[in-house]
Amino acid sequence: MAIFKIITNEDPILRKQSKKITVVDDRSKKIIDDLFDTLYNTDTGVGLAAPQLGILKQIIVIDTGEEEPFALINPEIITSEGEKDSEEGCLSCPEDYGLVKRAERITVEALNEDGNPVTIEAEGFLSIVLQHEIDHLKGILFIDKATPVTKDKQV
Ligand SMILES: [Zn+2]
């Protein structure tokens, strides 16, 4: 079990494009375990992307509490439909909140943690979390898209 320090937005590593995983092996499984351990060490996290641990690989983990937790390798959004305002925060931008325009429904192709291809059709909260985490793999933070970004925690 390894809990990492989550990298915050001053660090330029979060702006870098993550690399595709070419072989799914024990190293990718270790990254997935570390992502879940680190995610579950937070109070509020529902997803985490490898670059947030300083690892520039295309791996994300998601646990919204609405479905079984899962990991995706090399996720790619292949269709998106509709538009939705999403109120977001990020473990890497601990003081920032803002409204982001997201697609309402998406289809994602990826590999699961065993290296098998999976297709996920998502809407609602899961769709938002997937879009947020996949952005991390491209070096994009929600604060780049959000209006307005506020430093005050609005309850
Ligand atoms: Zn984030």
Side-chain angles (χ1 to χ4, degrees):
M1 165 150 183
I3 293 165
F4 280 59
K5 187 176 179 300
I6 295 175
I7 289 177
T8 50
N9 61 344
E10 307 80 34
D11 193 320
I13 201 162
L14 288 177
R15 304 300 186 160
K16 298 203 163 123
Q17 167 78 40
S18 290
K19 290 201 169 64
K20 278 203 170 186
I21 300 284
T22 48
V23 183
V24 176
D25 57 11
D26 286 349
R27 277 183 305 175
S28 11
K29 293 212 166 105
K30 166 83 167 62
I31 294 170
I32 290 168
D33 287 346
D34 291 342
L35 282 165
F36 274 123
D37 289 343
T38 305
L39 178 66
Y40 291 141
N41 191 47
T42 71
D43 293 332
T44 53
V46 291
L48 201 59
Q52 293 178 279
L53 307 189
I55 302 166
L56 288 172
K57 303 274 188 190
Q58 293 189 17
I59 302 181
I60 61 174
V61 300
I62 304 233
D63 185 359
T64 65
E66 291 169 7
E67 64 283 315
E68 288 293 307
F70 63 97
L72 295 179
I73 296 170
N74 304 340
E76 205 172 326
I77 296 172
I78 53 160
T79 68
S80 55
E81 267 178 69
E83 195 178 76
K84 191 181 167 128
D85 280 332
S86 154
E87 194 179 315
E88 295 186 21
C90 177
L91 293 168
S92 291
C93 317
E95 312 217 316
D96 297 332
Y97 294 85
L99 272 188
V100 186
K101 286 219 185 304
R102 298 285 188 191
E104 208 168 355
R105 286 174 301 280
I106 57 168
T107 309
V108 176
E109 284 185 353
L111 300 176
N112 66 14
E113 61 179 280
D114 299 317
N116 298 317
V118 290
T119 303
I120 295 171
E121 288 179 14
E123 57 184 350
F125 188 54
L126 178 60
S127 163
I128 301 293
V129 177
L130 280 165
Q131 290 172 72
H132 178 114
E133 300 309 333
I134 291 171
D135 270 353
H136 274 300
L137 304 180
K138 300 176 187 161
I140 299 168
L141 298 176
F142 89 96
I143 49 173
D144 302 340
K145 299 178 163 184
T147 50
V149 174
T150 168
K151 298 271 177 202
D152 297 315
K153 198 165 192 166
Q154 306 284 337
V155 179

